[in-house]
């Protein structure tokens, strides 16, 4: 067997594999001998079929099968030994019909080669890493929500200014039928509030959706409709009052603190504020880190320049899936996936250059940490190592879970790398300011 490679350019090559009779003959003959022992051909006893007849009936099929196996094994071994970094899979070149009566065969494969490039993390323009803090306004609002949540509820006979009203929004044409609990302070205008004051359970109030709330998100949640449907919606809805309640806020006392955090973990209002601030900011770190990861990813894709074997990859996409695509569809799919492919190559380059690896222990540790957090949400704060190991073993028995957790580990390792080596500037702000700056009116 002989394998040669011709580089067409930096991103494309053709590999030629020449196979001769000595490469496959012994294997083919052995298989045919085994066939002879088991073949059932009318007129002959089992095991006594002439070899000539076995070859005539099965020889070509066995030859084709063995040559194809030999070809794939040889090609994969060659790419591995030569350390050729390919994109997609080798594509067989079109050739005239193969003469399987010949003793030797030649096959050619097109290769799409991975580009050579470098990645510069130290960009000229600094990338912002947000330090999101829980300000006094947020903490006070959270304490108010807690006091209301744990407060005393009293049923009322009519709606007052500070009542909690449970009822159902309806509009048959738009198929709106959603039961919610509302408070009057959420409505935009005083005219709406006046419609409710003095109303009783069973009353039906007609409202216009236009101008009902300050923003579309409030309307979307109240009517349980999509964001796009809520934008500019101008219809009439009815609101049938089911219940009217008043709520007396719970006192900030030790009984409330113990309900929230366990006995004597928090002992004063100031400690409560500190605990709320600490817990909120732990959650903000995740959002801040995800934003940094997204921004660095975007920067690297936009600023790391290299060419791809686009024509080859488009051809490969035509035949790589379960169903073949026509050229136009494959080109469209390639254009959609090009950005993702570029980042995969950049990610691989960063992992290689910085000797970042993901092993099974990394995946297992990450899985156990995830399990521990989930158990804590259900009050199981101190699971044993054996419990964690047993649950992790079940989780990691699912290959999809292994893949998902491995991707999380890779993201964390890259995030740590970016924090260490990328040009990053810290910017502290409240959560509301962060949402407004990062997401604007999309939040």
């Amino acid at each position: 067997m002989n394998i040669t490679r011709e580089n067409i350019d930096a991103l494309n090559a053709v590999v030629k594999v020449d196979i001769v009779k000595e490469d496959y003959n012994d294997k083919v003959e052995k298989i045919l001998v085994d066939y002879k022992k088991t073949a059932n051909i009318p007129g002959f006893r089992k095991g006594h079929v002439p070899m000539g007849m076995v070859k005539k009936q099965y020889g070509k099929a066995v030859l084709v099968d063995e040559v194809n196996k030999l070809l794939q094994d040889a090609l994969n071994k060659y790419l591995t030994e030569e350390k050729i970094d390919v994109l997609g899979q080798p594509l067989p070149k079109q050739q005239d019909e193969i003469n399987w009566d010949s003793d030797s065969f030649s096959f050619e494969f097109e290769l799409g080669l991975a580009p050579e490039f470098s990645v510069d993390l130290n960009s000229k323009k600094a990338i912002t890493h947000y330090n999101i803090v829980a300000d006094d306004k947020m903490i006070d609002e959270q304490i108010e929500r807690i006091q209301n949540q744990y407060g005393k509820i009293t049923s009322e006979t009519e709606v007052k200014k500070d009542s909690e009203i449970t009822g159902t929004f309806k509009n048959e044409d738009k198929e709106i039928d959603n039961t919610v609990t509302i408070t009057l302070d959420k409505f935009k205008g005083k005219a709406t509030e006046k419609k409710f004051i003095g109303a009783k359970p069973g009353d039906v109030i007609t409202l216009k959706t236009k101008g009902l709330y300050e923003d579309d998100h409030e309307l979307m949640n109240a009517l349980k409709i999509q964001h796009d449907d809520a934008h500019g919606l101008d219809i009439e809805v009815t609101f049938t009052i089911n219940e009217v309640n008043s709520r007396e806020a719970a006192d900030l006392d030790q009984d409330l603190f113990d309900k929230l955090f366990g006995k004597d973990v928090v002992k004063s209002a100031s400690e409560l504020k500190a605990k709320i601030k600490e817990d909120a900011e732990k959650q903000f770190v995740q959002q801040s880190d995800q934003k940094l990861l997204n921004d660095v990813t975007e920067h690297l894709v936009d600023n790391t320049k290299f060419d791809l074997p686009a024509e080859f990859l488009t051809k490969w996409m035509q035949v790589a899936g379960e169903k073949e695509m026509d050229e136009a569809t494959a080109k469209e799919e390639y254009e959609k996936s090009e950005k993702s492919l570029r980042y995969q190559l950049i990610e691989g380059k960063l992992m290689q250059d910085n000797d970042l690896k993901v092993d099974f222990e990394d995946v297992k540790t990450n899985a156990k940490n995830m399990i521990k957090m989930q158990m804590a949400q259900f009050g199981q704060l101190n699971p044993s190592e054996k419990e964690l190991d047993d649950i992790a073993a079940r989780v990691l028995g699912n290959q999809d879970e292994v893949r998902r957790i491995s991707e999380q580990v890779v993201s964390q390792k890259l995030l740590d790398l970016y924090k260490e080596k990328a040009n990053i500037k810290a910017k502290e702000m409240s959560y509301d300011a962060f949402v407004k700056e990062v997401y604007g009116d999309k939040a």
Side-chain angles (χ1 to χ4, degrees):
M1 183 186 301
N2 186 43
I3 303 180
T4 55
R5 180 173 90 242
E6 178 188 358
N7 289 332
I8 308 302
D9 54 39
L11 297 173
N12 295 274
V14 173
V15 167
K16 184 180 180 184
V17 183
D18 295 318
I19 296 176
V20 295
K21 189 172 183 178
E22 289 79 6
D23 297 321
Y24 61 81
N25 191 59
D26 288 349
K27 191 68 181 290
V28 170
E29 290 295 326
K30 182 179 183 306
I31 292 172
L32 291 174
V33 168
D34 291 340
Y35 273 30
K36 183 179 184 299
K37 295 175 183 176
T38 58
N40 286 312
I41 296 178
F44 297 94
R45 284 183 299 147
K46 188 174 181 181
H48 289 77
V49 180
M51 180 57 81
M53 187 167 287
V54 172
K55 287 185 176 182
K56 184 177 180 181
Q57 186 153 344
Y58 301 108
K60 187 168 289 188
V62 172
L63 172 65
V64 171
D65 190 44
E66 288 307 309
V67 168
N68 279 324
K69 287 180 183 176
L70 183 65
L71 179 62
Q72 290 302 319
D73 290 345
L75 186 58
N76 291 335
K77 184 179 179 184
Y78 174 78
L79 295 177
T80 301
E81 290 180 348
E82 294 294 316
K83 298 180 180 178
I84 301 173
D85 194 1
V86 298
L87 301 179
Q89 295 292 330
L91 286 178
K93 287 192 72 174
Q94 292 293 332
Q95 62 186 92
D96 296 334
E97 189 172 341
I98 300 170
N99 178 15
W100 291 104
D101 292 325
S102 173
D103 288 339
S104 60
F105 311 96
S106 290
F107 303 90
E108 290 186 336
F109 294 85
E110 296 178 58
L111 304 182
L113 306 179
E116 293 186 6
F117 61 94
S118 59
V119 182
D120 183 11
L121 285 174
N122 195 17
S123 58
K124 290 182 181 178
K125 184 180 179 182
I127 297 170
T128 301
H129 187 205
Y130 293 93
N131 178 22
I132 308 169
V133 296
D135 58 9
D136 290 342
K137 176 175 175 286
M138 169 176 274
I139 294 169
D140 289 343
E141 287 176 350
Q142 177 66 6
I143 289 175
E144 185 179 339
R145 281 193 290 271
I146 290 170
Q147 286 183 279
N148 285 332
Q149 181 182 348
Y150 287 87
K152 180 182 177 182
I153 298 175
T154 304
S155 180
E156 300 287 351
T157 57
E158 65 178 45
V159 176
K160 299 175 183 174
K161 188 178 178 66
D162 57 354
S163 294
E164 285 185 359
I165 309 149
T166 299
T168 305
F169 281 108
K170 285 190 177 182
N171 178 287
E172 288 188 9
D173 290 342
K174 295 290 185 180
E175 297 182 344
I176 294 168
D177 187 347
N178 189 44
T179 300
V180 292
T181 298
I182 60 174
T183 53
L184 298 181
D185 61 310
K186 296 295 183 182
F187 291 122
K188 184 177 181 180
K190 293 292 183 184
T192 302
E193 182 180 297
K194 287 179 182 177
K195 288 186 176 184
F196 278 87
I197 298 295
K200 298 175 174 58
D203 288 354
V204 179
I205 297 170
T206 300
L207 302 165
K208 282 191 171 292
T209 57
K210 186 176 182 180
L212 188 60
Y213 289 99
E214 285 290 348
D215 67 49
D216 292 339
H217 293 88
E218 295 279 3
L219 184 64
M220 177 182 73
N221 293 330
L223 305 184
K224 203 174 183 180
I225 56 177
Q226 298 297 315
H227 185 281
D228 290 344
D229 294 333
H231 184 67
L233 185 66
D234 187 6
I235 60 171
E236 281 191 349
V237 292
T238 60
F239 185 86
T240 302
I241 299 174
N242 301 330
E243 293 179 19
V244 180
N245 296 305
S246 63
R247 188 181 290 267
E248 183 182 342
D251 292 330
L252 293 178
D253 56 18
Q254 194 60 48
D255 181 54
L256 177 62
F257 303 153
D258 290 348
K259 285 179 183 177
L260 292 171
F261 302 107
K263 185 167 178 57
D264 293 337
V265 174
V266 169
K267 296 181 179 180
S268 67
S270 60
E271 286 185 16
L272 174 64
K273 288 187 175 184
K275 187 78 169 93
I276 290 172
K277 181 179 176 66
E278 178 189 355
D279 290 347
E281 290 178 356
K282 281 180 183 176
Q283 296 299 316
F284 296 157
V285 168
Q286 295 177 6
Q287 286 183 265
S288 174
D289 282 353
Q290 187 60 54
K291 173 62 177 167
L292 176 63
L293 192 62
N294 293 345
D295 288 347
V296 177
T297 297
E298 195 76 24
H299 168 80
L300 291 175
V301 171
D302 290 343
N303 292 279
T304 306
K305 304 300 181 184
F306 54 83
D307 293 325
L308 290 169
E311 185 177 340
F312 169 85
L313 289 170
T314 302
K315 286 169 65 176
W316 174 69
M317 283 185 169
Q318 283 185 256
V319 298
E322 291 182 7
K323 294 182 180 179
E324 287 198 17
M325 302 179 191
D326 58 36
E327 185 178 351
T329 304
K331 187 174 182 180
E332 186 179 331
E333 285 300 310
Y334 170 72
E335 288 170 355
K336 287 180 184 175
S337 61
E338 183 184 358
K339 191 171 184 178
S340 173
L341 175 58
R342 286 183 176 277
Y343 183 66
Q344 287 175 29
L345 291 169
I346 292 168
E347 181 183 277
K349 179 70 172 170
L350 287 169
M351 297 285 285
Q352 181 182 13
D353 289 351
N354 294 278
D355 197 28
L356 302 179
K357 297 181 176 66
V358 176
D359 57 30
F360 182 74
E361 282 304 313
D362 291 326
V363 176
K364 184 178 178 182
T365 299
N366 189 278
K368 287 169 69 174
N369 289 338
M370 176 188 70
I371 292 162
K372 202 170 182 178
M373 284 189 292
Q374 290 173 346
M375 292 176 78
Q377 291 174 2
F378 295 95
Q380 295 174 268
L381 300 177
N382 294 300
S384 69
E385 280 300 308
K386 185 178 185 309
E387 283 181 289
L388 293 173
D389 284 335
D390 289 346
I391 298 172
R394 290 197 293 273
V395 170
L396 299 179
N398 183 323
Q399 288 305 306
D400 289 337
E401 282 297 306
V402 173
R403 190 179 303 110
R404 184 181 67 82
I405 296 170
S406 295
E407 289 171 357
Q408 292 176 349
V409 174
V410 168
S411 293
Q412 187 57 54
K413 286 179 180 284
L414 288 172
L415 181 63
D416 293 341
L417 176 70
Y418 298 157
K419 288 180 179 179
E420 178 188 351
K421 294 188 175 181
N423 183 10
I424 292 171
K425 65 176 181 181
K427 186 173 184 179
E428 184 175 295
M429 58 175 56
S430 70
Y431 180 74
D432 286 345
F434 167 77
V435 170
K436 185 175 181 181
E437 177 166 324
V438 172
Y439 302 107
D441 61 3
K442 297 178 184 177

